[in-house]
Amino acid sequence: MKILVSGAGIAGLACALELGGRGHDVTVVEYARQLRLTGTPIDIRGDAIEAVDGMGLLARIRKHRVRMSELTHFVDSAGEPVARIPLAEVNDSDDDIEILREDLVRILADALPETAAIRFGESIEALTDDGGVRFASGRTGRYDLVVGADGQYSAVRGLVFGPTADYLRHLGVYFALADLPGEARSVGANSIYNVPGRMAGLFRYGGKAVAVFQFRSDEIDYDNRDPDAQKKILIDAFAGYRSWRIPELLDAARADPGFYFTSASQIQMPSWHRGRVVLVGDAGYSPAFLSGRGTSLALTGARFLAEELERCGDDLPAAFAEYEGRQRPYVTFAQSRVYGGRDRMLPTTWEAIAARNKALQATDTGAA
């Protein structure tokens, strides 16, 4: 089949690898001019490990394994460790793999077969029921199958299934990242500092350092392609808090041209396919970063879709139905796991922060 994949993130690259490896002619279009490599370390869990093994990538992925979460402490206003997250909450099992997002993206991209190509600086502008596509560049084409793997704010989903607002379920949390070049060569544990309903952190990994922010909030209307507006939202959320290193980290956010901002939101849909179009990863079933399972869902989704297309041949409705039947239990589980993580990371009062720390200290002899 001639297949078009929208999005060159983890879901899109995994789809290109799985589908191209089975002999399909795959084109990936990516709005950005290059692969997005930013982001904190991510997790590969459960059956997603089997998925990357089936891609022939497990050994390489394990070579890039990191254990950043095991070296992360909650700190007080003086920067002294007061507690850390129990390892049982970091991983489901010892087989889980934590890896830098940029490493996994590069591994997937480097493994693409000759039957899969990426076209950067391009996006889908219109789709027809018979597989016709008009691109933003003015190009046109016709495809047997279109895969929307273009993230939480999927353009493909918007064109085929309707507005994002129909499917987005905000979980009351926003997340931001900013580069800290002055800390890149420093050493030490990763630090998380809480004020009520907010956290600011300093994470070191892969030879660099980043400022990490989370804060509770009702849904905010903003342009997800306007970094200046996003920076203002973050700065306003921390207004009045000057303890620990919060002002310094906010300054880093102001200065970073690669600043990243997103909501903790889920995409909940009754079906992930319509006609010749199917959704994979965050486009169809974002569980929110609080679950720690978005990457795993992208990987299993790509594999299940490719396997069912191979088994069902030209019968797209049957392949899509089988794909959804296999993937839906994983999505339901992942989406149900977010609330405990939110309450652990973002206690709403000073008393709740103290109680969280005390409870963690009781279970961790390594905490200060």
Side-chain angles (χ1 to χ4, degrees), residues 35-313:
L35 294 171
R36 184 176 75 82
L37 302 177
T38 58
T40 56
I42 52 182
D43 299 295
I44 302 174
R45 305 171 182 266
D47 285 358
I49 297 173
E50 182 179 338
V52 294
D53 191 21
M55 298 177 195
L57 303 178
L58 183 56
R60 186 173 175 189
I61 286 171
R62 280 184 170 150
K63 287 181 181 178
H64 288 81
R65 186 176 190 174
V66 298
R67 298 185 181 274
M68 191 196 77
S69 296
E70 299 175 16
L71 301 173
T72 301
H73 292 83
F74 295 103
V75 300
D76 61 19
S77 59
E80 293 299 320
V82 293
R84 61 183 177 184
I85 303 173
L87 293 184
E89 295 189 17
V90 174
N91 298 317
D92 291 340
S93 78
D94 290 338
D95 293 330
D96 291 352
I97 301 170
E98 188 173 22
I99 185 172
L100 301 186
R101 186 185 187 281
E102 62 187 271
D103 286 341
L104 181 57
V105 167
R106 286 193 175 106
I107 288 169
L108 291 169
D110 289 347
L112 292 181
E114 293 182 358
T115 50
I118 304 175
R119 190 188 303 164
F120 291 105
E122 184 66 284
S123 59
I124 298 172
E125 192 169 83
L127 291 163
T128 61
D129 292 342
D130 62 354
V133 178
R134 185 177 75 249
F135 297 100
S137 65
R139 296 183 186 182
T140 59
R142 191 170 302 279
Y143 299 86
D144 301 303
L145 169 65
V146 177
V147 180
D150 44 351
Q152 188 178 101
Y153 296 97
S154 168
V156 170
R157 187 187 62 237
L159 290 169
V160 178
F161 297 87
T164 293
D166 292 349
Y167 308 105
L168 190 75
R169 304 295 179 264
H170 179 57
L171 300 179
V173 176
Y174 286 85
F175 171 82
L177 283 177
D179 192 31
L180 281 172
E183 290 278 346
R185 297 184 181 277
S186 63
V187 296
N190 302 305
S191 301
I192 295 173
Y193 175 69
N194 284 106
V195 296
R198 298 156 177 79
M199 67 81 87
L202 193 164
F203 289 3
R204 300 175 178 89
Y205 54 83
K208 65 180 182 179
V210 296
V212 182
F213 304 90
Q214 292 181 24
F215 62 93
R216 292 182 185 250
S217 172
D218 293 335
E219 191 167 5
I220 303 169
D221 184 17
Y222 70 96
D223 183 348
N224 67 300
R225 291 182 178 176
D226 184 347
D228 289 334
Q230 295 164 19
K231 289 177 183 182
K232 185 178 187 307
I233 291 169
L234 174 68
I235 291 164
D236 288 348
F238 282 84
Y241 292 105
R242 302 191 61 80
S243 48
W244 190 54
R245 301 177 66 174
I246 288 176
E248 173 192 351
L249 300 184
L250 290 176
D251 285 343
R254 289 186 183 94
D256 185 7
F259 175 78
Y260 177 74
F261 184 87
T262 189
S263 67
S265 300
Q266 293 181 343
I267 297 295
Q268 298 179 3
M269 303 182 69
S271 176
W272 305 321
H273 69 91
R274 183 171 294 174
R276 297 175 182 270
V277 177
V278 64
L279 304 176
V280 177
D282 285 355
Y285 36 81
S286 170
F289 62 82
L290 295 167
S291 75
R293 288 169 170 77
T295 297
S296 295
L297 289 182
L299 294 168
T300 57
R303 185 149 189 87
F304 294 163
L305 175 62
E307 288 178 343
E308 295 307 326
L309 287 169
E310 185 175 44
R311 190 173 66 84
C312 296

Side-chain angles (χ1 to χ4, degrees), residues 322-354:
E322 292 298 319
Y323 153 64
E324 290 201 17
R326 293 176 66 182
Q327 181 75 338
R328 184 72 66 173
Y330 294 93
V331 172
T332 300
F333 176 76
Q335 291 189 337
S336 71
R337 300 274 288 186
V338 299
Y339 297 103
R342 180 186 65 182
D343 294 340
R344 179 75 81 189
M345 296 300 294
L346 297 168
T348 56
T349 65
W350 288 113
E351 292 78 12
I353 293 170

